[in-house]
Amino acid sequence: MAERVRTIADAVAMHRFGVILAGILQAGDLVVLTGPLGAGKTTLTRGLGEGLQVRGAVTSPTFVLARTHPSLVGGPPFVHVDAYRLGSAMELDDLDIDFARSIVVVEWGRGLLDGITESWLDIEIERPQGRAEAARETDAAASVLDLDHDLDEPRTLTLTGHGQRWARLADSMP
């Protein structure tokens, strides 16, 4: 298991990181994104879509669960999954995703992908705790509406490669 930690300065840098990461992805690759609301999972995924040169706007597939974006340049399809509402690996399997021939990104997928592949890249995104969230921890009356999930502050990414493919790519991970 190869691990690398890096800091991403802002949303523009998160998008750019996705574009760069796309340069090493290939058919059969699985990327699992984990982090709280507003961490930058979809921003990173938009960057991946741009880097892979896929058709269609890459937006959060929360209500459709999965969206497939065909390549505009003859590459593999890009599948973007939001597993937030899924309760088990079986529900993910019911989506009938062609993992072997696609590049698949799964937001909120940690723990749902056992047995799907022996090799994947796990990216944990940590964002700073906003002022309202800090206040809420000490003041139970703080409003959820005060939460600022879109603070454009640095994020910490922990990239953990699992399996032989990612062990070989540890040194080339962006």
Side-chain angles (χ1 to χ4, degrees):
M1 188 168 19
E3 184 173 287
R4 174 173 277 172
V5 177
R6 64 175 298 153
T7 300
I8 301 293
D10 54 25
V12 170
M14 182 71 80
H15 181 91
R16 187 173 44 244
F17 173 77
V19 172
I20 293 166
L21 179 60
I24 65 170
L25 296 178
Q26 63 186 27
D29 281 344
L30 171 62
V31 179
V32 178
L33 302 178
T34 302
L37 289 171
K41 296 178 297 293
T42 302
T43 300
L44 191 154
T45 304
R46 280 188 195 109
L48 289 170
E50 180 182 318
L52 294 169
Q53 299 181 51
V54 298
R55 186 177 72 211
V58 176
T59 60
S60 182
T62 300
F63 298 106
V64 295
L65 301 179
R67 210 175 252 123
T68 300
H69 298 273
S71 174
L72 295 171
V73 293
F78 177 56
V79 180
H80 181 197
V81 179
D82 185 329
Y84 184 76
R85 294 186 298 141
L86 299 180
S88 69
M90 186 167 295
E91 288 181 50
L92 181 63
D93 190 50
D94 286 344
L95 296 176
D96 200 28
I97 296 168
D98 186 351
F99 285 93
R101 292 186 188 95
S102 304
I103 294 171
V104 180
V105 172
V106 181
E107 295 185 33
W108 306 98
R110 187 173 284 160
L112 295 177
L113 301 160
D114 294 339
I116 292 204
T117 183
E118 293 178 8
S119 187
W120 71 95
L121 177 61
D122 186 81
I123 302 176
E124 172 116 23
I125 305 171
E126 296 177 53
R127 67 177 180 84
Q129 191 174 34
R131 292 180 305 277
E133 289 171 293
R136 190 167 67 127
E137 282 187 0
T138 57
D139 179 6
S143 169
V144 174
L145 297 176
D146 292 336
L147 296 178
D148 185 4
H149 290 298
D150 295 322
L151 292 174
D152 203 15
E153 296 179 335
R155 283 10 183 196
T156 301
L157 273 61
T158 302
L159 292 82
T160 306
H162 299 268
Q164 289 183 350
R165 169 159 162 70
W166 292 104
R168 288 191 313 268
L169 290 176
D171 293 331
S172 64
M173 280 196 290

